[in-house]
Amino acid sequence: MRIDVLTLFPEMLEGPLKASLLGKALAEGLLTVEATNIRDFATDRHRTVDDAPYGGGPGMVMKCEPLFAAIESLRDRNTLKRVILMSPRGRRLDQALVRELAQAPDLVLVCARYEGVDERLSDALITDEISIGDYVLSGGELPALVLIEAVSRMLPGVVGDWESVETDSFYTGILGPPQYTRPPLFRNLEVPEVLREGNHAAIRRWRRKEALRVTRARRPELLIELSEEDRKLLAEIEREAPMPEKENPT
Ligand code: 21W
């Protein structure tokens, strides 16, 4: 897969892209990420990329000309079938969207700064707008890196141990079970006996049950479309620790 990132701060991408699993995916050619500096497409003496908003108000807006020129410059390297604006107004990124994006041969990620981009960019060239969550950042660069890392994990060969992807929370749709490593006893804190005993069927059942328990406690909205086995495990959990009843005004 190829990802082109349009940004005023290409240096923000360098470190994270070099490190860890992403660095390895790039080195092995499983993924190509190229940053394009939008300022390189400004044509005036001051290389201007922003201007005051029509109608007044605070902040600046990214101008059309450099953004259009930067995107169109990618034409012979990128299909431009998905030109994504990273935007706080966008659709919230989740694992279903990550998997869909990972099917594409290439992506363009446009990172905005200031108060955003001229709306005519969205109208004419943007196919998707994506947010990474409801909090305010200063631009789209960190969201673009989040998207790239999440998408790259879905590409064949990037994560060595595919089992770790398939059993991942959010891939499976529920949170993950508690994890432990040696030593078995640390400051009076014990590793659960079932994990030390090596009965793999019992371990599998315990992990599924604990995953359901933590999901019920923290993210009950994720508990949809459960198997018969899951409903049995949840019923057990229910008996062990019933949810406190909501106050009933009648
Ligand atoms: C933040 C630009 C806020 C513009 C209401 C009316 C990309 C982002 C960004 C940014 C505003 C993402 C206003 C999660 C993010 C991003 C910069 C608008 C003024 N509010 N995902 N006018 N959070 N952020 N603020 O911030 O570009 S994806």
Side-chain angles (χ1 to χ4, degrees), residues 217-250:
R218 299 185 189 178
R219 299 291 304 278
E221 77 278 13
L222 298 178
L223 294 175
I224 46 171
E225 293 172 40
L226 295 173
S227 66
E228 175 74 12
E229 170 69 3
D230 282 352
R231 279 184 276 118
K232 271 170 55 188
L233 290 171
L234 267 173
E236 275 186 35
I237 294 165
E238 215 80 43
R239 267 178 266 124
E240 291 163 27
M243 280 272 188
E245 288 275 0
K246 279 235 176 73
E247 200 73 63
N248 188 337
T250 62

Side-chain angles (χ1 to χ4, degrees), residues 15-249:
L17 288 177
K18 274 208 306 264
S20 190
L21 210 64
L22 266 175
K24 199 159 154 278
L26 294 168
E28 291 176 4
L30 303 169
L31 174 68
T32 301
V33 179
E34 199 170 308
T36 295
N37 192 336
I38 297 162
R39 199 175 293 282
D40 291 346
F41 294 85
T43 53
D44 66 312
R45 214 159 57 82
H46 298 291
R47 303 219 290 162
T48 309
V49 293
D50 62 325
D51 202 345
Y54 267 113
M60 298 291 269
V61 175
M62 289 180 77
K63 290 168 65 61
C64 280
E65 297 93 322
L67 283 166
F68 274 66
I71 292 170
E72 285 163 358
S73 80
L74 303 173
R75 249 186 334 224
D76 48 6
R77 295 173 263 165
N78 194 299
T79 63
L80 307 186
K81 284 204 170 116
R82 294 201 92 145
V83 182
I84 298 164
L85 178 65
M86 305 311 299
S87 161
R89 291 160 43 171
R91 167 176 171 193
R92 179 88 120 295
L93 186 66
D94 61 15
Q95 196 64 30
L97 181 52
V98 166
R99 281 151 87 168
E100 188 195 318
L101 295 173
Q103 305 302 311
D106 51 23
L107 303 172
V108 178
L109 306 181
V110 180
C111 305
R113 284 271 147 178
Y114 316 114
E115 282 303 300
V117 301
D118 189 303
E119 191 70 20
R120 291 170 292 182
L121 177 77
S122 305
D123 297 341
L125 295 182
I126 298 297
T127 61
D128 308 76
E129 295 195 21
I130 297 178
S131 162
I132 62 163
D134 293 343
Y135 37 82
V136 182
L137 301 171
S138 302
E141 286 78 11
L142 295 177
L145 283 167
V146 165
L147 187 153
I148 292 167
E149 178 160 304
V151 166
S152 71
R153 295 175 54 80
M154 293 297 111
L155 301 177
V158 171
V159 179
D161 181 6
W162 184 252
E163 195 190 343
S164 74
V165 173
E166 278 184 317
T167 61
D168 230 331
S169 58
F170 298 120
Y171 194 95
T172 60
I174 68 170
L175 303 182
Q179 303 278 14
Y180 300 86
T181 187
R182 286 180 289 187
L185 181 64
F186 174 75
R187 297 189 183 174
N188 291 333
L189 303 170
E190 272 191 27
V191 173
E193 199 172 1
V194 59
L195 297 179
R196 291 181 275 123
E197 282 171 342
N199 177 342
H200 293 289
I203 289 171
R204 219 174 357 261
R205 186 179 189 282
W206 182 88
R207 283 189 169 146
R208 188 71 194 173
K209 184 171 172 183
E210 295 311 310
L212 290 165
R213 192 195 305 279
V214 71
T215 305
R216 173 178 175 270
R218 299 185 189 178
R219 299 291 304 278
E221 77 278 13
L222 298 178
L223 294 175
I224 46 171
E225 293 172 40
L226 295 173
S227 66
E228 175 74 12
E229 170 69 3
D230 282 352
R231 279 184 276 118
K232 271 170 55 188
L233 290 171
L234 267 173
E236 275 186 35
I237 294 165
E238 215 80 43
R239 267 178 266 124
E240 291 163 27
M243 280 272 188
E245 288 275 0
K246 279 235 176 73
E247 200 73 63
N248 188 337

